[in-house]
């Protein structure tokens, strides 16, 4: 998975409270807390490099004294984490998530200071092992089998420079790029490690890939018009079969993924026979149910992905790239408008019910 890290185990401990002062009934200060704070331009790799021990302990509360009967609270420990983090207990149960810059999560609470209730003895802070699990947040997630041209497409539409190969090569770590428009509008695109058949069962990059699809707002399926074959040992798949197999992988991992808005980019239109293959594919996509018999029953998805747009492109000649960028922008704008409309309706409903 290269230099990219998408989960990290940390030890966190709140500070111990300060000692009480029995003679004058003084209270010790509370121990500091450990907080996770979401920050942009932070990565799990940078946390691991800066804190190789991966231990975060807040400061102890101040003892009560004649000069200060109420001891001061210990200093909090703040850990800056990237956006899109789920916080899990060591048993895998999710206890929180941080999706926007500035969001905070209390990872370990400090102990109480010594007081009459505790016989003036301080309490220890909460201590536990937590796991930070990163799911990339992007407007658009590129989905496709190896060699469909996802990396080439990302390098064409954005400033990202992913590795590109002309054989069944799959990206081994997620790449994030930004599409820049003439009016300075930006849309983030994630090229995620290539799926292979059986990814839902954790073959290949499996779940490492699929979990990143969860946080993207829209899907962009990239398919090779001439079909796909991973190796000589695997079966050749046509473009239509490839779309069905990708749908099946998404469905088996998490059915809700199919409710996301999806676009389809049909790549390698510069190849000979591409036009004939495209006509055939469009026919199949109009009535997909009639062609499900092309795949074995267990490989056919229960639900068919409905595409908002189908755009033929060639990353080699640049054909259709500008149109694709425009369609992506239009689709994102439509979804945002729909969300705003739903939000307005909810607000209106709340006002009416409160009245």
């Amino acid at each position: 998975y290269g230099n990219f890290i998408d989960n990290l185990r940390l030890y966190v401990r709140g500070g111990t409270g300060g000692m009480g002062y029995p003679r004058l009934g003084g209270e010790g200060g509370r121990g500091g807390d450990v907080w996770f704070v979401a920050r942009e331009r932070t990565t799990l790799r940078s946390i691991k490099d800066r804190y190789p021990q991966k231990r975060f302990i807040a400061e102890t509360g101040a003892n009560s004294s004649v000069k200060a009967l109420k001891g001061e609270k210990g200093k909090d420990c703040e850990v800056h984490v990237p956006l899109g983090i789920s916080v899990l207990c060591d048993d895998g149960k999710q206890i929180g998530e941080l999706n926007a810059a500035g969001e905070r999560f209390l990872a370990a609470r400090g102990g109480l200071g010594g007081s009459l209730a505790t016989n003036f003895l301080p309490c220890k802070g909460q201590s536990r092992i937590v796991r930070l699990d990163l799911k990339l947040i992007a407007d658009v997630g590129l989905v496709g089998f190896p060699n469909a041209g996802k990396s080439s497409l990302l390098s064409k539409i954005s400033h990202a420079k992913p590795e590109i190969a002309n054989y069944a090569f799959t990206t081994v770590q997620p790449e994030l790029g930004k599409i820049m428009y003439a009016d300075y509008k930006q849309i983030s695109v994630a090229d995620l490690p290539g799926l292979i058949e059986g990814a839902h069962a954790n073959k290949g990059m499996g779940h490492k890939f699929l979990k990143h699809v969860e946080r993207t707002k829209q899907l962009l399926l990239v398919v090779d018009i001439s079909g796909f074959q991973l190796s000589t040992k695997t079966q050749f798949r046509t473009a239509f079969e490839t779309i069905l197999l990708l749908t099946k992988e998404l469905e088996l991992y998490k059915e809700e993924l199919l409710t996301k808005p999806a676009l389809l980019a049909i790549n390698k239109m510069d190849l000979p026979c591409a036009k004939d293959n495209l006509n055939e594919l469009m026919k199949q996509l109009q009535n997909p149910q009639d062609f499900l018999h092309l795949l074995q029953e267990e490989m056919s998805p229960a639900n068919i992905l409905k595409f908002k747009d189908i755009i033929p492109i060639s990353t080699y000649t640049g054909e259709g790239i500008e149109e694709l960028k425009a369609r992506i922008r239009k689709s994102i704008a439509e979804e945002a408008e729909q969300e705003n409309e739903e939000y307005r309706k909810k607000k209106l409903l709340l006002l009416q019910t409160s009245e």
Side-chain angles (χ1 to χ4, degrees):
Y1 222 19
N3 275 336
F4 184 79
I5 293 180
D6 58 7
N7 60 64
L8 200 59
R9 273 177 92 228
L10 307 174
Y11 172 79
V12 289
R13 191 173 82 212
T16 307
M19 291 288 286
Y21 198 70
R23 206 153 50 104
L24 299 173
E27 276 186 29
R30 256 195 63 203
D33 304 318
V34 179
W35 290 89
F36 292 148
V37 185
R39 279 280 169 90
E40 286 181 5
R41 288 193 285 279
T42 303
T43 62
L44 292 181
R45 160 70 58 188
S46 63
I47 297 174
K48 192 181 174 189
D49 289 346
R50 278 189 70 185
Y51 309 100
Q53 301 289 322
K54 296 182 287 187
R55 290 168 67 85
F56 296 93
I57 300 166
E59 284 189 6
T60 306
N63 294 338
S64 171
S65 64
V66 176
K67 288 179 184 170
L69 287 177
K70 180 94 176 83
E72 274 190 28
K73 181 178 182 292
K75 194 179 167 197
D76 289 347
C77 169
E78 285 195 356
V79 186
H80 294 157
V81 299
L83 278 54
I85 282 286
S86 300
V87 187
L88 311 170
C89 286
D90 217 22
D91 60 3
K93 186 170 169 251
Q94 185 170 322
I95 50 176
E97 59 179 26
L98 299 155
N99 292 322
E103 281 188 4
R104 298 166 69 83
F105 173 77
L106 180 60
R109 193 180 290 282
L112 292 172
S115 64
L116 186 62
T118 65
N119 208 11
F120 298 100
L121 294 171
C123 300
K124 283 185 175 177
Q126 182 184 13
S127 73
R128 59 179 169 189
I129 288 173
V130 294
R131 205 169 79 234
L132 301 182
D133 196 32
L134 174 71
K135 291 175 187 170
L136 290 180
I137 298 178
D139 296 315
V140 181
L142 300 183
V143 179
F145 284 135
N147 215 33
K150 302 195 311 302
S151 298
S152 305
L153 178 60
L154 187 69
S155 65
K156 275 275 189 290
I157 60 178
S158 77
H159 296 299
K161 292 184 172 48
E163 276 188 66
I164 294 163
N166 61 356
Y167 52 91
F169 160 86
T170 186
T171 302
V172 289
Q173 63 183 57
E175 287 276 356
L176 269 176
K178 275 197 162 65
I179 307 178
M180 306 286 212
Y181 293 89
D183 60 354
Y184 302 108
K185 165 82 176 163
Q186 295 183 9
I187 289 176
S188 57
V189 182
D191 169 23
L192 306 153
L195 275 177
I196 61 169
E197 286 177 39
H200 67 275
N202 223 356
K203 278 191 195 164
M205 287 292 174
H207 290 185
K208 269 197 156 114
F209 160 82
L210 286 162
K211 73 170 188 181
H212 291 301
V213 182
E214 289 180 55
R215 294 275 175 96
T216 55
K217 291 179 190 166
Q218 303 205 357
L219 305 178
L220 173 59
L221 269 69
V222 186
V223 172
D224 184 337
I225 188 60
S226 58
F228 169 69
Q229 188 171 17
L230 184 64
S231 72
T232 48
K233 291 176 187 169
T234 57
Q235 215 174 323
F236 174 79
R237 305 289 185 196
T238 64
F240 179 67
E241 289 171 346
T242 304
I243 293 167
L244 292 183
L245 286 168
L246 286 171
T247 309
K248 181 75 171 172
E249 290 303 334
L250 294 171
E251 181 182 79
L252 287 171
Y253 177 70
K254 216 172 220 180
E255 227 169 300
E256 301 95 89
L257 293 179
L258 299 188
T259 61
K260 287 181 186 284
L263 303 172
L264 174 63
I266 300 165
N267 193 17
K268 308 197 182 176
M269 287 304 295
D270 51 283
L271 296 176
C273 305
K275 291 275 187 289
D276 298 340
N277 289 345
L278 181 63
N279 293 336
E280 177 73 14
L281 178 61
M282 293 310 262
K283 247 188 275 171
Q284 292 168 325
L285 286 172
Q286 272 165 357
N287 299 300
Q289 301 296 344
D290 302 348
F291 297 94
L292 287 182
H293 63 271
L294 294 172
L295 274 180
Q296 294 154 357
E297 201 173 320
E298 67 272 13
M299 296 182 107
S300 297
N303 302 291
I304 305 291
L305 251 182
K306 289 190 170 55
F307 298 107
K308 289 181 75 174
D309 266 319
I310 298 172
I311 309 104
I313 61 163
S314 165
T315 52
Y316 182 68
T317 62
E319 174 198 339
I321 297 292
E322 287 307 313
E323 189 190 348
L324 176 63
K325 283 164 75 170
R327 298 280 184 95
I328 290 172
R329 181 171 184 170
K330 184 173 169 237
S331 178
I332 294 277
E334 283 170 359
E335 289 307 312
E337 185 52 46
Q338 204 174 323
E339 274 177 30
N340 289 342
E341 191 57 43
E342 282 169 17
Y343 179 72
R344 281 198 289 270
K345 279 179 186 166
K346 270 186 197 165
K347 280 280 190 198
L348 202 61
L349 204 67
L350 279 171
L351 281 169
Q352 287 165 350
T353 50
S354 61
E355 280 167 13

